[in-house]
Amino acid sequence: GDLKMQVPFPFSSLCLQVIKCKAAVMWEANKPFSIEEVEVAPPKEHEVRIKIVATGICRSDDHVITGALVMPFPIILGHEAAGIVESVGQGVTSVKPGDKVIPLFVPQCGECMNCLSSKGNMCSKTDFGKSPGLMPDGTTRFTCKGKAVYHFLGTSTYTEYTVVHESAVAKIDSAAPLEKVCLIGCGFSTGYGAALQTAKVEPGSTCAVFGLGGVGLSVIIGCKVAGASRIIAVDINSDKFAKAKELGATDCINPKDFNKPIHEVLMEMTGGGVDYSFEVIGRTDTMIAALACSQYNYGVSVIVGVPPAAQKITFDPMLLFTGRSWKGSVFGGKNLEIRWKSKDAVPKLVADYMKKIFVLDPLITHTLPWTKINEGFDLLRTGK
């Protein structure tokens, strides 16, 4: 014991053990999750092992299951979570065991072109690259039944313990309720930031939000905080309208109630189109509709939903020629005054939540024990 006490703290990973714990493993596409015992290796240099306390279910996880987002199998999904640092690898300085943290599916390495730019937030170390499913060193920390299991977006939160790179974790307020602020790990930040940072919604403006899941509702919260005078919520599930109005929508419309294209309906409602529109579903037809319903000369339309794999968009270029802007937004988009880079923005958003600048509770419809993850995905797929 005395010898171990003398080992300098940064080198404590040398005596860390493999952790055996439960995880929800996805063995192949279009099958249920399987609750398995997995081995989670100790964190290597500049890595952090986290005990996951709460995790959300996001449509992007389901996109992997259906094949719309291509990833290798077997895989541990999940990317919206909060937890407590269990141990750290050599050289880790930004967090220590016991810290409350949120894993970041968009890391912040601080060294790549996007991290160094004041304009971007899409770190090049993001797990969308050439070898998805692996840690930056090209290996995995998960094993199940003797097989290597892939990571998802550098986070993999459907497990009792996970390992992330130090650039993909943010320390947060120790008083924050993890079962609420886990949403800041993806859905809330993505929607709220798309409104405030990517679109830069202005006071008195008009907005249209296509898709009223957790991210779409977070866009509505952002539009309201930005001072939009009119926020039109669009969804084919009218059951979602009450929650949208509670969070700030002024109008709710169901495309099924009209026998004309929805962009024409919105153009008529607003006398020429909205200032800002948001596609928060991930469908090419609604992406074009959102673009077309924005004001023809100065409208801004933002793609927030993950585009489906292998699908292309065909549209009339006159939609852009007249002056509209079409933007994409990942994890809240571009970086402005409040530094919307993940490692910087997430602790600030948690602090803003603690100051009651925005609410998260209405975004949480169900709380389940994580072994009921398949039931959770059924609730997602049925729009509940």
Side-chain angles (χ1 to χ4, degrees):
D2 291 343
L3 280 173
K4 281 185 182 172
M5 292 294 286
Q6 292 167 13
V7 175
F9 176 71
F11 298 98
S12 60
S13 63
L14 297 176
C15 47
L16 291 175
Q17 303 295 314
V18 169
I19 286 179
K20 288 187 177 181
C21 67
K22 292 280 192 271
V25 177
M26 179 59 54
W27 290 103
E28 55 184 303
N30 296 302
K31 290 283 172 69
F33 289 90
S34 181
I35 305 296
E36 306 277 9
E37 183 177 84
V38 299
E39 290 90 44
V40 184
K44 294 187 181 179
E45 189 174 8
H46 293 295
E47 293 178 359
V48 179
R49 191 159 60 184
I50 304 167
K51 178 182 171 65
I52 298 293
V53 173
T55 184
I57 289 176
C58 177
R59 183 68 72 176
S60 302
D61 302 300
D62 194 43
H63 284 332
V64 178
I65 299 167
T66 61
L69 181 59
V70 179
M71 289 282 163
F73 292 94
I75 192 167
I76 294 174
L77 297 174
H79 63 285
E80 178 183 87
I84 298 165
V85 174
E86 177 268 338
S87 58
V88 299
Q90 185 175 337
V92 172
T93 56
S94 61
V95 295
K96 64 184 185 305
D99 284 346
K100 282 189 177 180
V101 292
I102 288 177
L104 308 169
F105 75 94
V106 174
Q108 185 182 337
C109 72
E111 299 166 357
C112 71
M113 182 186 293
N114 293 344
C115 282
L116 292 172
S117 168
S118 64
K119 298 176 182 175
N121 76 332
M122 186 78 163
C123 175
S124 66
K125 301 285 199 303
T126 305
D127 186 26
F128 297 128
K130 294 175 183 171
S131 56
L134 299 173
M135 294 294 284
D137 70 350
T139 64
T140 169
R141 302 290 163 271
F142 298 120
T143 312
C144 183
K145 296 178 178 173
K147 289 184 179 175
V149 178
Y150 288 99
H151 296 248
F152 178 53
L153 300 184
T155 49
S156 285
T157 61
Y158 295 160
T159 169
E160 291 175 323
Y161 289 87
T162 192
V163 177
V164 304
H165 192 268
E166 183 181 15
S167 64
V169 64
K171 180 182 175 181
I172 61 168
D173 183 344
S174 62
L178 299 184
E179 73 283 2
K180 312 280 190 197
V181 299
C182 63
L183 297 180
I184 291 173
C186 175
F188 178 77
S189 304
T190 296
Y192 189 72
L196 291 174
Q197 296 289 312
T198 310
K200 305 191 208 33
V201 171
E202 296 164 319
S205 60
T206 58
C207 302
V209 181
F210 287 70
L212 303 178
V215 184
L217 294 172
S218 300
V219 172
I220 290 173
I221 294 171
C223 292
K224 185 179 181 185
V225 167
S229 63
R230 195 171 184 192
I231 303 168
I232 305 169
V234 184
D235 203 295
I236 58 172
N237 181 354
S238 299
D239 293 344
K240 299 194 172 189
F241 291 168
K243 185 71 66 77
K245 286 194 166 169
E246 178 191 337
L247 292 172
T250 55
D251 308 75
C252 294
I253 59 173
N254 188 330
K256 290 179 173 178
D257 294 341
F258 302 91
N259 54 12
K260 64 171 77 171
I262 193 63
H263 73 273
E264 292 181 13
V265 175
L266 287 158
M267 289 293 244
E268 289 170 11
M269 284 177 70
T270 56
V274 297
D275 298 307
Y276 303 99
S277 67
F278 303 84
E279 200 281 351
V280 206
I281 303 164
R283 292 176 57 100
T284 54
D285 55 348
T286 40
M287 289 172 188
I288 297 168
L291 177 67
C293 81
S294 65
Q295 207 277 346
Y296 75 95
N297 185 211
Y298 52 77
V300 175
S301 188
V302 183
I303 294 174
V304 189
V306 177
Q311 285 194 27
K312 302 287 184 279
I313 285 186
T314 305
F315 69 101
D316 181 355
M318 188 60 75
L319 286 171
L320 292 178
F321 178 74
T322 55
R324 290 179 178 90
S325 300
W326 212 358
K327 297 183 174 186
S329 179
V330 174
F331 199 58
K334 308 301 176 277
N335 164 47
L336 282 172
E337 302 79 26
I338 67 163
R339 285 187 59 73
W340 207 271
K341 295 185 194 284
S342 57
K343 223 169 157 85
D344 300 328
V346 162
K348 184 186 184 304
L349 286 170
V350 172
D352 285 351
Y353 169 74
M354 300 297 279
K355 292 177 198 161
K356 297 185 166 56
I357 290 172
F358 56 80
V359 294
L360 291 173
D361 298 47
L363 300 176
I364 301 169
T365 56
H366 300 75
T367 303
L368 301 166
W370 79 274
T371 49
K372 292 192 176 178
I373 188 165
N374 288 307
E375 291 178 35
F377 271 82
D378 288 340
L379 291 165
L380 176 82
R381 291 167 189 143
T382 53
K384 293 174 183 170

